[in-house]
């Protein structure tokens, strides 16, 4: 890993066509849930927008004046819930990614595409 000034470290580009970790496919800009080359899931959020989580957070904040300690306890519980959701989603995605290539039958092109999908996934994890 190399560091490019302040901020998170980024992986250097490689000759496989996987690109730098911070790169985004043009199609992902238009449709963040799809990979431009394969139509496969790509840059979608790991847990997506969860309106009930936002509503819970608003309730926690609103209750702070009357019960500061209770609000902080509820915030801690909500944070743990979100972390569990994130971990479950990340683990499911890694299983899905491995299933796309692991088994010894993937050709070089399939492996190149798998590497690109891993790049997108790791990049997503780095900005969480």
């Amino acid at each position: 890993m190399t560091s490019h000034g302040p901020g998170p470290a980024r992986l250097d580009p490689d000759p496989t066509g996987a690109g730098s970790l911070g790169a985004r496919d043009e199609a992902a800009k238009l449709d963040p849930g799809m990979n431009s080359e394969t139509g496969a899931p790509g840059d979608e959020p790991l847990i997506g927008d969860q309106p009930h989580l936002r509503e819970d957070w608003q309730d926690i904040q609103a209750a702070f004046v009357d019960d500061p300690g209770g609000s902080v306890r509820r915030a801690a519980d909500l944070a743990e819930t979100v972390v569990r959701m994130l971990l479950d989603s990340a683990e499911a995605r890694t299983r899905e990614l491995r299933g796309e290539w692991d088994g010894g039958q993937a050709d070089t092109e399939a492996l190149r595409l798998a590497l690109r999908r891993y790049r997108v996934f790791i990049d997503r994890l780095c900005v969480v």
Side-chain angles (χ1 to χ4, degrees):
M1 290 189 112
T2 61
S3 180
H4 301 285
R10 297 286 188 200
L11 296 178
D12 288 330
D14 65 48
T16 65
S20 66
L21 196 56
R24 300 272 192 234
D25 293 329
E26 286 301 313
K29 291 177 186 173
L30 300 173
D31 183 359
M34 299 303 285
N35 177 290
S36 64
E37 287 191 27
T38 64
D43 199 25
E44 69 275 2
L46 288 171
I47 61 173
D49 187 31
Q50 302 285 325
H52 70 279
L53 296 175
R54 293 181 193 283
E55 292 167 8
D56 289 349
W57 179 251
Q58 289 172 350
D59 292 344
I60 290 167
Q61 283 185 296
F64 181 81
V65 172
D66 295 327
D67 185 9
S71 288
V72 171
R73 281 187 291 281
R74 287 179 58 204
D77 292 344
L78 183 60
E80 289 175 7
T81 297
V82 172
V83 167
R84 274 193 306 277
M85 291 171 67
L86 183 60
L87 287 172
D88 290 346
S89 178
E91 288 170 351
R93 181 68 178 134
T94 57
R95 283 190 302 274
E96 177 185 330
L97 285 167
R98 183 168 291 278
E100 292 176 4
W101 64 268
D102 198 13
Q105 300 301 318
D107 62 12
T108 302
E109 179 63 9
L111 293 170
R112 186 186 71 80
L113 292 173
L115 188 60
R116 288 176 54 94
R117 289 185 197 109
Y118 276 110
R119 175 191 40 90
V120 170
F121 177 63
I122 292 168
D123 190 41
R124 172 61 69 195
L125 290 172
C126 290
V127 298
V128 167

